[in-house]
Amino acid sequence: MTAYELDGVKVKGYIATSLLDSFEWLHGYIYAFGLHYVDFNDPNRPRTPKFSAHYYYQVMKNNGFPETAEFGKLWGRFAEGFMWSTATASYQIEGAWRADGKGISIWDKFTHTPGKVLNNDNGDIACDSYNKLEVDIGLLKQLKVTHYRMSISWPRVLPDGTINNINEAGVDYYHRVIDALLAANIQPQVTLYHWDLPQAIEDQGGWLSDIVVDRFRDYADFLFSRFGQKVKFWITINEPYIIALLGYGYGSFAPGISHDPGSLHYVAGHNVIKAHAEAWHVYNDKYRAEQKGRISITLNSDWAEPRNPYKQEDIDAAKRYMDFFLGWFANPIFKGDYNEPMKRIIRERSLAAGLEKSRLPEFTPAEIERIKGTHDFFGLNHYTSVLAFSVDFGDTQNYDADRGVAVISDRTWLESGSNWLRIAPLGFRKLLKYIKEEYGDPPILVTENGVSENGPVDLNDEHRSFFYENYINEALKANMTDGANVIGYTAWSLMDNLEWASGYGERFGLFYVNHTNADRPRTPKASVPFYTTIVRCNGFPDPADGPHDCTNSLSSTSAPISEENPVNFLGMKLSIDEAVTGLNTTFALLIVSVVAVAGVTSLLIVSRKRSKKRKNDP
Ligand code: PNW
């Protein structure tokens, strides 16, 4: 079809080989090329159509492949009151690791252990956001977001993790942040725990000990009492999957425990779920009536497609991938108890290896009831998709072997600056629909979504605009077409920051941060006005009913933060000021061309052509 329609090759017909399974020369009857299966053991040689026969029939009937709505762009806006946000996390941006009485976290210790983090980068200074409150509020204003997702560092407010020792300087800092946000009319969405566990609690077993459940409950109670008048969106815990599996299974993230990869991640996950439930109940019982906020947990998940969509084994593998990823935590919280496949598989594999009981801990009936329903919305972090297929790992006792799945990427999915992240927007829509169907149609708050780059700095981050354009459009389809109740969207991240064990090399920011400059200046990338336009438009208003005010709002943004070095913009060496003007001009051109060419499906194509043209200009 491509050769015929796009390249003008005169293809006049097509013959599918073969109608029937038949004698395949040197391979005898082993190789079966037929659209119909032939039973060579039956003297009557009965013919049965395979799936491909039906499929080929449809292709012939349609005389090709009709453009499906799935791949086009959907024009439309989100509901009024949709929450537009961007996110950061305390350890990734604050720095000031020992300032004003802050305690040590497991990430302080981990990053100071040589060899744990790429380049031995650490968060001692990070983006220095502890000292740059006004600057960061300015960035948020520039983005025109209605909300900001931030996290509180537990050891900054409770240095030893307990309420016996309160660090008022740390508490004051968060009051200043929250007050500044509210003054700018930006609503805070506050995560209680984004991975920086007080080292003092790790020393008592961390997430492996149920002591942490009580400590976390007290910590949550303390935060609600101090900030609950001002904060109306709470997220208890960010990404239990990463906490448990990378922290206590693989050991690639703090606290770096990997000596029992068969069990410990399940134990850690178990305590994370219980801690979350306790925090939710404290809010529900003690604060909800008066403070009238909402509180939930943020789960991260890829979307898994079967490697071969027509092969039952691969379909089963994709389902198992979802059960072991999102389902691990979503089932107990949204349905009650772990899902059956996880319980059965881990139990069977544990017993087969001679253990007395399953490596997956059990919830008591009372615990199941207490955990079930501890959500006010479904907090979702999503980045990428995978193609799944079944693999038998023998009797190896670890998470991957329990799951029995390996993954590859579709080679048409564009790469990013992170090896685990390929750009696959369609999976986002499918995941949102899956959550709607699987977990009782909850309101879904997308708490993170974004893309990275690495290597030389290039402020013209076309890949990021492409990513946001397409992922947000898929979320709109999930909302408008599939009926998923998406209530808000959060871009990860406001600015380049410490990307955990990958250090500062993988950059997810809308704003570039120069980490070699003591001042840590922030500079907008091209995606800043791009995302701002989507935010202001509340989606993608149809140019056919335009013009729309929201698309021509590229009023030169507040002056960028100074940067001595010239930047590389569209292949030219420019000062930051010139570059920003250039970005705005380019973006305005983009908008004009989009409005003019209604139906253009990808801004990237347009912007690629434009930047190429500019690069070639003398
Ligand atoms: C999330 N992976 O973490 C976190 O919530 C953020 O703090 C982080 O910066 C962001 O996503 C980008 O990575 C993840 O290896 C870290 O699959 C690693 C993975 C996934 C999510």
Side-chain angles (χ1 to χ4, degrees):
M1 186 174 103
T2 308
Y4 178 68
E5 274 200 344
L6 299 181
D7 304 336
V9 178
K10 292 189 185 66
V11 182
K12 292 294 188 187
Y14 181 86
I15 300 172
T17 313
S18 169
L19 175 65
L20 302 172
D21 291 345
S22 58
F23 181 68
E24 187 55 33
W25 309 113
L26 296 180
H27 303 289
Y29 293 101
I30 304 291
Y31 283 13
F33 277 85
L35 291 161
H36 296 79
Y37 166 74
V38 178
D39 185 352
F40 291 102
N41 296 320
D42 185 325
N44 289 324
R45 298 293 188 268
R47 282 89 160 126
T48 315
K50 300 181 191 172
F51 180 83
S52 55
H54 299 287
Y55 184 83
Y56 187 50
Y57 174 75
Q58 290 301 327
V59 174
M60 289 191 291
K61 214 173 100 181
N62 293 324
N63 202 24
F65 304 87
E67 179 90 351
T68 54
E70 199 183 12
F71 294 103
K73 172 161 180 170
L74 178 69
W75 298 109
R77 297 176 191 241
F78 289 95
E80 216 174 299
F82 190 81
M83 295 179 261
W84 289 101
S85 188
T86 184
T88 59
S90 47
Y91 187 70
Q92 293 179 278
I93 65 161
E94 285 177 4
W97 74 301
R98 313 213 67 171
D100 303 338
K102 176 183 165 295
I104 296 297
S105 81
I106 56 174
W107 273 95
D108 290 315
K109 179 163 176 193
F110 192 73
T111 57
H112 284 261
T113 310
K116 295 293 186 189
V117 175
L118 204 70
N119 224 2
N120 287 323
D121 286 341
N122 61 51
D124 294 3
I125 301 175
C127 305
D128 200 22
S129 286
Y130 189 74
N131 298 305
K132 292 201 170 310
L133 176 53
E134 291 309 317
V135 174
D136 290 351
I137 299 286
L139 309 182
L140 293 166
K141 283 186 183 167
Q142 187 172 339
L143 281 170
K144 307 261 190 307
V145 287
T146 59
H147 291 67
Y148 175 51
R149 177 172 178 239
M150 54 179 274
S151 79
I152 291 182
S153 160
W154 185 347
R156 194 181 290 290
V157 294
L158 305 178
D160 65 8
T162 75
I163 47 172
N164 303 331
N165 179 7
I166 295 165
N167 180 32
E168 292 296 345
V171 176
D172 283 352
Y173 165 66
Y174 292 111
H175 273 298
R176 288 201 301 280
V177 176
I178 292 164
D179 291 345
L181 288 169
L182 294 175
N185 199 21
I186 298 166
Q187 305 308 312
Q189 298 160 319
V190 179
T191 305
L192 277 58
Y193 183 76
H194 201 126
W195 306 354
D196 37 6
L197 189 73
Q199 182 60 40
I201 293 189
E202 181 58 33
D203 293 342
Q204 296 173 282
W207 290 106
L208 298 177
S209 156
D210 54 13
I211 295 175
V212 72
V213 178
D214 291 343
R215 296 287 177 272
F216 187 72
R217 187 211 292 112
D218 293 348
Y219 167 58
D221 195 342
F222 172 74
L223 293 187
F224 302 146
S225 74
R226 292 297 191 93
F227 300 105
Q229 299 298 338
K230 301 173 182 174
V231 175
K232 301 302 157 193
F233 293 90
W234 293 104
I235 289 149
T236 54
I237 293 174
N238 181 68
E239 300 191 351
Y241 180 91
I242 300 284
I243 298 170
L245 193 59
L246 276 62
Y248 296 87
Y250 302 149
S252 51
F253 278 15
I257 289 170
S258 60
H259 61 268
D260 183 3
S263 303
L264 297 188
H265 56 287
Y266 293 132
V267 175
H270 203 68
N271 287 321
V272 170
I273 295 168
K274 287 199 218 174
H276 152 75
E278 289 312 311
W280 188 91
H281 279 290
V282 169
Y283 192 80
N284 200 49
D285 300 346
K286 211 167 149 184
Y287 297 97
R288 184 189 293 283
E290 192 213 329
Q291 297 183 353
K292 300 188 171 53
R294 282 186 269 178
I295 176 165
S296 216
I297 189 168
T298 278
L299 306 180
N300 64 308
S301 188
D302 297 347
W303 172 252
E305 284 287 328
R307 178 178 62 176
N308 175 349
Y310 303 117
K311 191 170 165 192
Q312 192 57 46
E313 246 186 70
D314 291 2
I315 296 169
D316 295 344
K319 179 71 175 95
R320 264 198 326 278
Y321 190 89
M322 296 307 294
D323 285 338
F324 272 76
F325 201 143
L326 188 63
W328 179 3
F329 301 96
N331 263 73
I333 295 166
F334 286 81
K335 293 181 167 177
D337 205 2
Y338 293 117
N339 58 69
E340 288 305 321
M342 275 189 86
K343 288 201 287 188
R344 178 179 52 75
I345 294 169
I346 299 166
R347 181 159 203 285
E348 285 174 4
R349 298 188 81 257
S350 302
L351 300 187
L355 299 173
E356 269 171 21
K357 58 183 176 99
S358 177
R359 284 172 284 111
L360 182 68
E362 275 180 29
F363 290 118
T364 65
E367 286 169 343
I368 290 173
E369 279 314 303
R370 186 147 177 92
I371 293 160
K372 184 178 165 185
T374 54
H375 53 83
D376 298 349
F377 52 85
F378 197 113
L380 175 70
N381 288 357
H382 172 72
Y383 289 89
T384 197
S385 291
V386 296
L387 303 177
F389 59 101
S390 286
V391 176
D392 187 341
F393 288 83
D395 56 12
T396 310
Q397 303 288 297
N398 65 26
Y399 173 84
D400 293 81
D402 290 341
R403 188 180 63 179
V405 177
V407 299
I408 53 167
S409 295
D410 186 306
R411 67 191 179 90
T412 65
W413 297 344
L414 298 178
E415 293 175 354
S416 73
S418 309
N419 58 16
W420 55 271
L421 202 176
R422 291 284 199 111
I423 302 180
L426 298 184
F428 191 23
R429 173 178 177 181
K430 293 185 183 181
L431 175 61
L432 291 165
K433 183 162 183 264
Y434 178 81
I435 291 171
K436 170 190 165 74
E437 287 164 358
E438 197 77 10
Y439 298 109
D441 196 8
I444 304 170
L445 179 62
V446 178
T447 42
E448 275 180 37
N449 180 233
V451 71
S452 59
E453 67 266 354
N454 61 28
V457 176
D458 181 357
L459 294 180
N460 188 26
D461 56 343
E462 289 175 339
H463 63 293
R464 181 164 290 103
S465 295
F466 176 83
F467 181 99
Y468 284 133
E469 160 96 352
N470 286 279
Y471 271 72
I472 297 172
N473 200 247
E474 292 305 318
L476 184 71
K477 289 178 195 168
N479 180 231
M480 289 179 66
T481 310
D482 307 334
N485 186 11
V486 186
I487 60 171
Y489 177 88
T490 309
W492 182 272
S493 172
L494 172 62
M495 61 187 132
D496 296 337
N497 55 48
L498 184 83
E499 181 50 24
W500 306 110
S502 304
Y504 293 104
E506 286 177 23
R507 304 186 300 271
F508 279 84
L510 287 157
F511 287 84
Y512 162 65
V513 179
N514 184 347
H515 285 277
T516 60
N517 182 324
D519 228 25
R520 299 297 188 274
R522 286 88 158 118
T523 311
K525 302 181 191 174
S527 55
V528 165
F530 191 93
Y531 182 56
T532 305
T533 298
I534 297 175
V535 169
R536 283 180 43 102
C537 291
N538 198 22
F540 308 91
D542 192 339
D545 348 308
H548 301 279
D549 281 352
C550 61
T551 54
N552 51 35
S553 64
L554 303 159
S555 58
S556 57
T557 45
S558 55
I561 289 70
S562 69
E563 165 91 71
E564 292 107 36
N565 301 325
V567 295
N568 185 8
F569 175 69
L570 302 178
M572 302 174 283
K573 291 277 175 223
L574 298 177
S575 74
I576 287 291
D577 275 341
E578 287 167 329
V580 171
T581 316
L583 293 179
N584 290 339
T585 317
T586 307
F587 192 66
L589 286 173
L590 265 177
I591 293 294
V592 169
S593 56
V594 169
V595 173
V597 191
V600 166
T601 51
S602 162
L603 281 177
L604 182 70
I605 295 167
V606 181
S607 81
R608 276 254 164 88
K609 283 188 185 144
R610 289 215 177 270
S611 59
K612 246 200 209 136
K613 223 174 135 205
R614 283 181 151 236
K615 274 177 190 157
N616 297 339
D617 280 351

